[in-house]
Amino acid sequence: MNLPPARRHLSLACALLLPGLAFAQSPPATRSLPVVEVEAARVTGIDPFALPSSSDTVWIDDDRSGPQAQLAEALGGIPGVLARDRQNLAQDTQLSIRGFGARSTFGVRGVRVLVDGVPATMPDGQGQLSHASLLGAERIEVLRGPFSALYGNSSGGVLQVHTAQGREGDPWRLRLNAGADNTLSVGAHLRGVQGPVDYNVAANHFRTDGWRDHSAARRESLNARLGTAVGEDRLELLVNYLDAPNAQDPLGLTRAQVAADPRQATAVAHQYNTRKSVRQSQAGLVYSGQRAAHRFRLTGYAGQREVTQFLAIPPGPQANPLHAGGVIGLDGDFGGLDARWGWNGELAGRALDVTAGVNADRQRQHRTGHENFVGDQLGVRGRLRRDQRDTVSNVDQFVQAWWQWSPRWSLLAGARHSSVRFRSEDHYIVGRNPDDSGSRRYQATTPVAGVSFEVTPQWRLHAAVGRGFETPTFNELGYRADGQAGLALGLSAARSRNVEIGSKWQAQDGRRLEVSLFRADTDDELAVASNTNGRSTYRNIGRTRRQGAELSWHQPLAQDLDLQVAWTWLQAEVRSAYLACAGSGCAVPDTPVAAGSRLPGVPRQQAFARLEWQPRDWLWAAEVTGSSDTVVNDLATERAPGYAVMNVEAARRWTLRGGDLRVFARVDNLLGQGYIGSVIVNDGNGRYYEPGPDRRGSLGVQWSWR
């Protein structure tokens, strides 16, 4: 791979920042963003600036360019957040926060995801982002650090997507975006009020042939939020639907394959026609209200999800009577209830806000496995090899209090008790394949506390500490590391201790600077034990540490000219030595991993800079995104080189008699850099790399009317 050194690329990012220094002394006035309570912190009526936590809000407005097909498009400017577009819609966006979730090879692990308050993370900690829509979203909130633990299992960070409430005079929008590789995104967004009902409905059709071979995909989605007043209270209906049939999976590439042709798919991807189909529908009801100083919120939701995935596992390994086949089928339902009460008052003459609640979630899943061949025909559904009913449920209670105990000091503290139960019933008991049924319960209490000090009205200092925990998912419990039948019920939950100190400064003219230092020490970290015959097993490896620094800076430079910068330094390493597998087919770990070794999937540095100019009806912007190298396996024998890419965009708006017409264009990777966009940690075949695309352009048009 002929990739330039990371330092050369990161210098490009630094060059973009230099203009900010010249204007830092006398910035002009700038328009301010709306103020909103950060629901991720569960504190009502308090400016997030005053809370002892690291949180960011990304506003999603109609000035955005690009297809708006994945949440990763909106998350680049948040420090501590790594959201990688894998150029593979058969797998979800690769999301990690402060290193939590970086080991996940599919879906989202270690990070809690919610859409309008409804969990997109199942009780076992496995989540996905594919049904969340940027088209109808108002904002995305990201909470990092110790207070994430108040969301329970697998809350190394919290990401919440919020749909805007429809209001009188809101515009309707039609949007079309077309780009390279026959990529097309068509959306309709209707928002407003009709009689007693306010509404926000977004429908989107997206399709692409994919930048890489064998990566074509299509998605249809519908997201709706309908609300009405019920006396003094409010009732809302939330609806989500996603259909993504036969998304082709090009699989990862080896280093040599990337050097030969980064757009190719692995040969077995064509041979077995690797692909994935997902269909999900869900609905939720939210009833909320307030009586004097008391407030309440009741949420109930239910949904169904069907997944079929064809893997590239040869027939040979499937001859083992304990093998579960090369076609995965998941068909199940999920649902839950959340009840929350809050109160605003005083304690010792000082402001006090208390929130308490209980929630219960349950997922029932019919998991099947079939052979991926019939005779000599590959990539088709064959004989049944697995048939089990899996259930995972949790019942949690939490309490939180914010107290302004002096004019300049405030305290935020809380605790959550979580109980997560796994149960599996095996219905495939054939010959040497025994009954694999079993169950396991995990419990934890996670306290957290933080203080905030007002140095001046524009400057705050804070410190926070807390504990967290992360259970194995059903996917990690699915196979035992010793090769025997049954679930890996001996796995323990990982438990972490989190510390953060930070500084926040903001000025009335729009300047903002936030800096935080953090550390998370984890015991019983979950990691891959072996990768054999297309199956991964897991185990607890001991102690790890994630520590680092984050910086977020917003600087108005001149009239209608803004600079945004985000930077992350993250050291993620093993604290106790363990054994790992050195190659493909290894069933028993045999190679030492020394204390101090880097955790795979976590780059040491990330940088983002965006320069935006909006003179009247025009918008011009340039972005630089950079990352240092990323280790791809436990032994650190290979790594993805660092990179920096530049993106540019332009847009023009016309106000016409019937509405607004906006035309926009965007070029990603303007300089055509070759780089690795994402990695598959500990891939058993050494196919760790998912290359990022070369120069890609897109053009869009949007029509808005009231």
Side-chain angles (χ1 to χ4, degrees):
M1 296 179 296
N2 184 21
L3 298 178
R7 291 183 180 178
R8 186 185 309 165
H9 292 303
L10 290 176
S11 66
L12 188 61
C14 295
L16 188 59
L17 310 187
L18 292 177
L21 302 178
F23 291 91
Q25 301 302 318
S26 56
T30 185
R31 64 185 186 282
S32 59
L33 292 171
V35 176
V36 68
E37 297 163 359
V38 176
E39 295 184 25
R42 291 193 173 120
V43 180
T44 300
I46 308 301
D47 188 343
F49 181 73
L51 299 177
S53 61
S54 294
S55 63
D56 281 273
T57 300
V58 179
W59 294 91
I60 311 298
D61 55 34
D62 61 358
D63 286 335
R64 285 188 170 269
S65 302
Q68 293 195 334
Q70 300 189 73
L71 290 187
E73 298 176 47
L75 299 177
I78 303 178
V81 176
L82 181 63
R84 286 169 156 166
D85 179 358
R86 306 181 64 172
Q87 298 298 310
N88 178 0
L89 292 177
Q91 308 294 342
D92 215 335
T93 298
Q94 206 169 59
L95 177 69
S96 64
I97 295 180
R98 291 185 175 176
F100 287 96
R103 288 178 176 266
S104 179
T105 55
F106 58 90
V108 178
R109 279 289 282 120
V111 175
R112 209 75 185 169
V113 179
L114 300 99
V115 180
D116 290 323
V118 174
T121 300
M122 293 297 102
D124 66 345
Q126 187 75 50
Q128 49 87 34
L129 297 171
S130 53
H131 71 289
S133 171
L134 282 177
L135 186 63
E138 177 189 47
R139 68 189 191 277
I140 301 173
E141 295 175 2
V142 178
L143 177 66
R144 311 181 300 284
F147 281 94
S148 304
L150 287 179
Y151 282 79
N153 177 28
S154 295
S155 296
V158 180
L159 185 149
Q160 296 205 59
V161 181
H162 296 280
T163 304
Q165 178 182 338
R167 301 187 184 280
E168 289 282 358
D170 280 342
W172 287 14
R173 291 188 291 162
L174 293 177
R175 181 184 179 94
L176 183 147
N177 182 266
D181 309 311
N182 288 323
T183 299
L184 178 68
S185 179
V186 181
H189 182 206
L190 311 180
R191 195 171 74 191
V193 176
Q194 182 66 43
V197 177
D198 58 79
Y199 59 89
N200 184 339
V201 180
N204 185 251
H205 163 81
F206 175 83
R207 73 167 189 262
T208 181
D209 289 344
W211 179 69
R212 292 181 59 195
D213 294 340
H214 196 73
S215 62
R218 175 172 64 87
R219 284 181 175 178
E220 317 286 349
S221 64
L222 174 68
N223 295 267
R225 174 180 177 177
L226 309 176
T228 189
V230 180
E232 299 179 358
D233 305 326
R234 178 170 173 80
L235 178 66
E236 291 185 325
L237 171 65
L238 308 172
V239 177
N240 300 99
Y241 175 78
L242 170 72
D243 184 23
N246 294 319
Q248 295 176 334
D249 188 349
L251 304 179
L253 300 177
T254 65
R255 179 178 290 268
Q257 288 172 325
V258 173
D261 179 8
R263 301 190 66 169
Q264 68 175 301
T266 305
V268 293
H270 292 287
Q271 186 179 11
Y272 290 89
N273 190 18
T274 49
R275 61 198 186 276
K276 182 178 180 181
S277 296
V278 178
R279 179 175 293 171
Q280 176 175 306
S281 57
Q282 69 179 48
L285 280 175
V286 181
Y287 189 77
S288 58
Q290 188 162 348
R291 301 289 188 276
H294 299 269
R295 61 187 184 274
F296 64 90
R297 178 184 172 103
L298 303 174
T299 303
Y301 72 95
Q304 293 182 321
R305 183 173 173 88
E306 302 173 15
V307 179
T308 303
Q309 185 169 12
F310 287 77
L311 305 175
I313 300 176
Q318 298 178 59
N320 183 337
L322 301 183
H323 201 282
V327 181
I328 299 174
L330 302 173
D331 184 2
D333 55 74
F334 55 89
L337 297 170
D338 182 283
R340 194 176 305 176
W341 164 85
W343 176 77
N344 288 106
E346 292 186 351
L347 176 64
R350 297 291 183 182
L352 175 68
D353 182 275
V354 178
T355 303
V358 59
N359 75 279
D361 306 279
R362 188 184 191 199
Q363 180 188 21
R364 299 181 60 193
Q365 190 167 258
H366 182 202
R367 181 187 293 263
T368 59
H370 290 78
E371 294 174 345
N372 58 356
F373 63 93
V374 176
D376 295 333
Q377 187 178 5
L378 304 178
V380 296
R381 191 192 303 265
R383 293 185 303 166
L384 180 70
R385 298 297 301 272
R386 187 175 195 171
D387 184 2
Q388 66 190 54
R389 303 277 179 171
D390 296 334
T391 304
V392 57
S393 59
N394 72 279
V395 178
D396 291 18
Q397 309 85 36
F398 72 89
V399 62
Q400 174 185 290
W402 178 85
W403 185 32
Q404 181 81 43
W405 51 277
S406 84
R408 300 171 69 181
W409 288 90
S410 62
L411 169 71
L412 179 63
R416 185 182 186 106
H417 177 75
S418 301
S419 177
V420 186
R421 186 187 181 198
F422 295 80
R423 186 175 73 253
S424 180
E425 300 175 359
D426 190 4
H427 297 282
Y428 184 77
I429 307 170
V430 178
R432 291 172 51 197
N433 194 318
D435 187 347
D436 298 335
S437 301
S439 64
R440 176 75 189 266
R441 184 187 297 273
Y442 299 89
Q443 298 187 77
T445 298
T446 52
V448 62
V451 293
S452 179
F453 174 65
E454 180 185 295
V455 183
T456 70
Q458 291 78 36
W459 184 19
R460 299 274 183 153
L461 300 176
H462 74 266
V465 297
R467 294 181 177 269
F469 87 114
E470 180 179 352
T471 70
T473 67
F474 251 124
N475 290 317
E476 292 160 346
L477 292 171
Y479 305 96
R480 288 172 48 171
D482 59 9
Q484 299 300 309
L487 300 179
L489 299 176
L491 290 176
S492 300
R495 298 175 184 265
S496 59
R497 300 171 300 282
N498 303 281
V499 180
E500 174 183 294
I501 59 174
S503 170
K504 304 177 184 179
W505 178 83
Q506 64 181 14
Q508 293 184 347
D509 56 25
R511 289 176 293 164
R512 299 189 303 274
L513 177 64
E514 296 188 15
V515 180
S516 59
L517 305 176
F518 59 88
R519 172 180 287 181
D521 289 313
T522 302
D523 295 328
D524 289 327
E525 178 88 25
L526 290 160
V528 171
S530 65
N531 269 311
T532 59
N533 299 327
R535 298 301 186 196
S536 297
T537 65
Y538 294 82
R539 61 181 176 143
N540 300 104
I541 62 171
R543 297 179 296 125
T544 61
R545 172 173 289 173
R546 299 167 175 87
Q547 63 182 357
E550 297 170 350
L551 179 146
S552 176
W553 176 32
H554 178 258
Q555 176 74 52
L557 301 180
Q559 187 67 33
D560 298 320
L561 181 64
D562 288 327
L563 175 67
Q564 176 190 0
V565 177
W567 173 77
T568 305
W569 176 79
L570 176 58
Q571 183 183 44
E573 62 183 24
V574 175
R575 301 289 291 171
S576 56
Y578 67 98
L579 296 178
C581 282
S584 177
C586 167
V588 179
D590 56 4
T591 305
V593 177
S597 299
R598 289 174 60 179
L599 288 177
V602 183
R604 185 64 55 88
Q605 293 190 68
Q606 298 169 242
F608 173 89
R610 179 179 172 90
L611 187 64
E612 183 176 290
W613 183 38
Q614 294 194 55
R616 298 191 179 184
D617 295 324
W618 285 91
L619 180 146
W620 304 90
E623 295 176 352
V624 174
T625 300
S627 171
S628 62
D629 68 319
T630 303
V631 170
V632 299
N633 58 0
D634 289 328
L635 299 174
T637 56
E638 292 198 38
R639 62 189 65 201
Y643 66 87
V645 296
M646 174 177 283
N647 312 314
V648 296
E649 62 184 69
R652 173 70 158 91
R653 183 188 301 274
W654 291 269
T655 300
L656 307 176
R657 181 184 299 272
D660 289 348
L661 177 67
R662 183 172 182 268
V663 176
F664 51 92
R666 181 178 172 94
V667 179
D668 292 296
N669 195 1
L670 177 67
L671 304 180
Q673 300 292 327
Y675 70 104
I676 302 299
S678 60
V679 298
I680 305 173
V681 172
N682 285 321
D683 183 83
N685 297 293
R687 299 192 292 256
Y688 305 112
Y689 306 106
E690 295 180 304
D694 54 17
R695 187 182 299 107
R696 304 280 95 181
S698 65
L699 180 66
V701 60
Q702 179 176 279
W703 173 245
S704 305
W705 74 99
R706 303 181 188 276

